[in-house]
Amino acid sequence: ASLLAARGRVPVVAVGTGFTVPPSDGVAFPLLRGEEPLIAEDALLTVVNRALQRAGMGALNALPDMAVADLACPATFAELDPYRKYRKGAVYPPFVSGEAGEAGDGKAVFVYAAVGDPRTVALMRALPLVVRAGVPVIAWLPGLSAPDAKDLAAAGVQVLSAPATQTAIAAQAKLLVTTGGLGMVSFALTAGLPMALLPMDLEKHLTARAVEELGCGVILPQGTDSAALSRAIMNAAHS
């Protein structure tokens, strides 16, 4: 919407991830997962052009024209770009804050996942099972309630009260368990840290699939079976 509002009025630089800065030179947006779009692009283009007409602006020739910018800056590793098969322009380095460090002989499974989704509830229930199997777990779980934090700590999980630095994670972890956010995934790839991913939305699913195709991680079971999750995490930690 902001690109459309600025179209033809001021110079525009589009900055974001590969997912949020799609290529704008096609006649249609690529179908990233192969299924039919929820709304036909020609119908959506008609709606957009009606809105542009009311605003006194020129019509679009194709829906990807919505993403046209004077300079497009998709910040991602090319291998993680969901449009890598279609993008003709360059990608830029991903946003990784601070030093990534380098994975070494860490022994722990490090978990970073915001609490709230039913699958993260299953993940929290799986972590004590991982500890019980002899694999130490360090967890930063934003949104975790005090009672749940107490229960996890009693089960042997090292629950952090503040996020760890990337260098600390790289030094302590043998495996990173996360939901597939591009920042954490980019850090893990930079540090050489294997991943087990529990993606929660389309962008994260696409990132997780790319990581798995690279051989740098695995996608965890998508249900709410905590026992299956714990077995998958342990398998990834020992592989």
Side-chain angles (χ1 to χ4, degrees), residues 1-238:
S2 59
L3 291 178
L4 280 177
R7 181 170 172 262
R9 298 178 178 181
V10 294
V12 174
V13 178
V15 179
T17 66
F19 185 80
T20 60
V21 184
S24 60
D25 53 358
V27 296
F29 285 116
L31 298 176
L32 296 178
R33 299 185 70 178
E35 72 277 17
E36 289 299 315
L38 296 176
I39 301 175
E41 286 204 8
D42 55 352
L44 187 54
L45 180 61
T46 298
V47 172
V48 171
N49 280 338
R50 284 175 183 167
L52 291 173
Q53 184 180 23
R54 291 193 197 102
M57 301 173 70
L60 305 180
N61 295 317
L63 204 59
D65 289 347
M66 294 175 61
V68 169
D70 296 280
L71 178 63
C73 301
T76 180
F77 289 123
E79 294 84 356
L80 300 183
D81 182 8
Y83 293 101
R84 58 190 175 275
K85 296 179 181 178
Y86 312 99
R87 195 184 302 280
K88 296 175 183 176
V91 295
Y92 293 78
F95 302 114
V96 179
S97 59
E99 293 294 326
E102 185 174 349
D105 58 354
K107 306 298 182 186
V109 168
F110 189 96
V111 181
Y112 173 77
V115 174
D117 187 279
R119 286 165 292 183
T120 59
V121 174
L123 176 61
M124 286 191 298
R125 292 174 179 163
L127 299 183
L129 302 178
V130 176
V131 173
R132 200 177 304 162
V135 180
V137 175
I138 305 170
W140 166 236
L141 303 165
L144 185 68
S145 69
D148 285 340
K150 185 177 180 180
D151 289 344
L152 284 174
V157 177
Q158 182 182 340
V159 181
L160 301 179
S161 58
T165 64
Q166 292 176 162
T167 51
I169 297 171
Q172 299 177 72
K174 65 190 300 184
L175 177 73
L176 173 66
V177 177
T178 187
T179 56
L182 188 64
M184 287 300 289
V185 168
S186 299
F187 144 69
L189 289 175
T190 302
L193 188 60
M195 288 168 272
L197 301 164
L198 191 65
M200 303 292 182
D201 56 43
L202 175 58
E203 181 178 7
K204 293 179 178 63
H205 273 282
L206 294 169
T207 299
R209 188 170 66 187
V211 168
E212 198 168 58
E213 289 173 355
L214 286 170
C216 296
V218 296
I219 298 175
L220 292 171
Q222 295 300 297
T224 56
D225 185 336
S226 55
L229 273 175
S230 67
R231 289 192 296 270
I233 291 170
M234 287 184 290
N235 287 340
H238 292 306

